[in-house]
Amino acid sequence: MIKSIIKGTGKFVPPNVVTNKDLEKIMDTSDEWIQQRTGIKQRHWISEENPMGASDLGFEAAKQALDAAGWAPEDLDFIIFATLSPDIMFPGSGCLLAAKLGLNSTPTLDIRQQCTGFLYGFATADAYIKTGLAKKVLLVGGEVHSSGLDKSTRGRDVTVIFGDGAAAVCIEGVETQKNAGLLASALHADGNYADSLTTELPASRLFKRNPDGISHDDPRYFPIMAGSTIFKKAVRLLPKVTNEVLEKAGIGLDQIDLVVPHQANKRINQAFGQYLKFEDDKIFHNIEKYGNTTAASIPLAFHEAMEQGRIGKSGQTVLFVALGAGLTWGACVYRFL
Ligand code: UT7
């Protein structure tokens, strides 16, 4: 049977580091509040001197992943780009990335599923592979949040959380009898909670998508979040979708070697572990360095977990799990070949 196997990973964050102390200088916040409530110590933001788009970050991550897989860009037969912060309104960042890779006919697909973009992307790659539509897929998660955040005190609850970054994985369809690769995925969405985490403008549903008479400073141009609503949803739904995906995969939690969750808030991931009675040292955290990089956060954490030797041996099993804007939530179980 054909299985979807990860052949290489890569990551890139812009060099400009913004610490909590730096944020104290521009808004009413504190290093103590941010660390206590979220676990974040710093994040990477693009700089005014060196602006970059999601596809620029994705390009650097993709080159590393392709190198690790030993693939040339021409080997790819499908590119999936997950982002909520595309370089421009259209065309999609996948098209821009493909051009940067020197490609001129490889199909690309952008996914707008926010924090679960990697999970939706992996499940989509797997479906393409298993139906024979593709054999070698590049999946990228890339975000530039910082150019669209409210950096005044008004936006502090959201702004301190988000960081810029990208990560990529190369996924190949491999013929094997082993129970390996993407064992199962479970995906969900509930648009009734769309307003809980959203950026309203520009909006094509308006007669003028950039309405007259409002300033660039209008709160509708910035992300707003009902933080505690999302927090409560996450603490309830992440364990639930974990049980669902484990059942689909036909394995127990005791067979998971490492959980690589979305990095939205360290307290959410700790609560997840406590609820499922899963040891915290088997839950990977890197939010302290990058903040919440949305579609990039799971592949970025996965890349670092592999780099640190926390996961990657044949037969080891990893659980990816996330919840975010949409609302969307989901989980994937992946076993190394
Ligand atoms: O990845 C996408 C999905 N997103 C998430 O999963 C995020 C889920 N939510 C959260 O992580 C948390 O709700 C936050 C970290 C966003 C907020 O933490 P919280 O413990 O829920 O705080 P809160 O919103 O209840 O605010 C508590 C206090 C408020 O002040 P008062 O009303 O008690 O006086 C806020 O105004 O903290 C204040 N506050 C801040 N203070 C300093 C909010 N943001 C900040 C800030 N610095 N950055």
Side-chain angles (χ1 to χ4, degrees):
M1 253 184 92
I2 294 180
K3 306 287 168 58
S4 298
I5 304 295
I6 294 175
K7 290 290 192 169
T9 64
K11 73 152 203 226
F12 181 78
V13 289
N16 180 39
V17 174
V18 178
T19 64
N20 295 345
K21 290 273 176 207
D22 293 329
L23 294 181
E24 283 179 5
K25 292 176 202 145
I26 58 170
M27 61 178 75
D28 181 12
T29 190
S30 68
D31 177 42
E32 192 191 359
W33 189 96
I34 301 171
Q35 286 208 47
Q36 269 179 12
R37 303 281 176 136
T38 70
I40 299 167
K41 293 182 179 166
Q42 60 171 55
R43 72 287 294 138
H44 292 245
W45 281 357
I46 60 163
S47 60
E48 201 170 350
E49 303 75 49
N50 187 20
M52 302 175 92
S55 73
D56 298 310
L57 306 187
F59 176 54
E60 299 299 333
K63 283 192 294 189
Q64 260 186 42
L66 288 166
D67 274 355
W71 297 357
E74 294 71 27
D75 295 333
L76 294 170
D77 37 33
F78 198 48
I79 296 174
I80 303 175
F81 201 113
T83 185
L84 68 68
S85 52
D87 301 60
I88 49 178
M89 286 284 282
F90 71 89
S93 294
C95 293
L96 306 185
L97 171 65
K100 284 172 185 145
L101 288 169
L103 302 171
N104 60 12
S105 72
T106 309
T108 71
L109 177 71
D110 271 36
I111 298 192
R112 297 283 302 274
Q113 293 306 84
Q114 302 68 246
C115 308
T116 54
F118 179 78
L119 306 177
Y120 273 79
F122 201 178
T124 304
D126 185 55
Y128 267 73
I129 285 168
K130 290 195 172 137
T131 53
L133 286 172
K135 197 161 182 236
K136 290 187 171 172
V137 180
L138 174 68
L139 169 59
V140 180
E143 305 285 0
V144 175
H145 287 299
S146 61
S147 53
L149 295 172
D150 180 351
K151 293 173 185 159
S152 70
T153 297
R154 184 182 64 182
R156 64 182 180 175
D157 58 327
V158 176
T159 299
V160 301
I161 292 174
F162 287 110
D164 303 337
V169 296
C170 291
I171 307 164
E172 183 170 14
V174 174
E175 190 68 47
T176 176
Q177 294 310 312
K178 284 192 182 171
N179 188 24
L182 184 64
L183 301 188
S185 60
L187 303 173
H188 296 279
D190 183 358
N192 293 300
Y193 288 87
D195 290 346
S196 303
L197 179 47
T198 185
T199 300
E200 201 180 328
L201 293 177
S204 63
R205 65 186 172 185
L206 300 177
F207 182 66
K208 284 191 175 177
R209 64 181 61 181
N210 292 295
D212 290 336
I214 62 167
S215 77
H216 294 305
D217 231 14
D218 191 279
R220 285 171 292 173
Y221 280 117
F222 300 108
I224 51 152
M225 177 167 69
S228 70
T229 303
I230 307 255
F231 196 104
K232 285 178 201 151
K233 282 277 178 193
V235 170
R236 196 170 67 78
L237 292 173
L238 294 177
K240 196 172 171 206
V241 76
T242 295
N243 289 330
E244 181 189 346
V245 80
L246 289 172
E247 196 179 327
K248 276 185 164 182
I251 63 170
L253 195 58
D254 56 336
Q255 285 175 263
I256 297 295
D257 294 291
L258 190 71
V259 177
V260 178
H262 172 47
Q263 307 287 313
N265 185 323
K266 197 169 184 180
R267 285 191 296 138
I268 292 179
N269 293 342
Q270 286 168 337
F272 166 84
Q274 279 158 16
Y275 187 90
L276 289 174
K277 301 191 174 36
F278 196 75
E279 308 93 295
D280 192 54
D281 64 356
K282 283 190 176 178
I283 301 178
F284 191 81
H285 306 285
N286 66 357
I287 193 170
E288 63 280 1
K289 290 190 287 182
Y290 305 114
N292 178 349
T293 57
T294 309
S297 91
I298 288 182
L300 207 161
F302 181 59
H303 174 84
E304 292 202 335
M306 301 238 308
E307 239 177 16
Q308 293 168 19
R310 299 274 303 273
I311 194 85
K313 292 196 188 87
S314 173
Q316 284 189 321
T317 308
V318 55
L319 171 79
F320 302 119
V321 61
L323 177 141
L327 288 181
T328 60
W329 65 102
C332 292
V333 179
Y334 177 77
R335 182 169 289 160
F336 288 86
L337 184 62

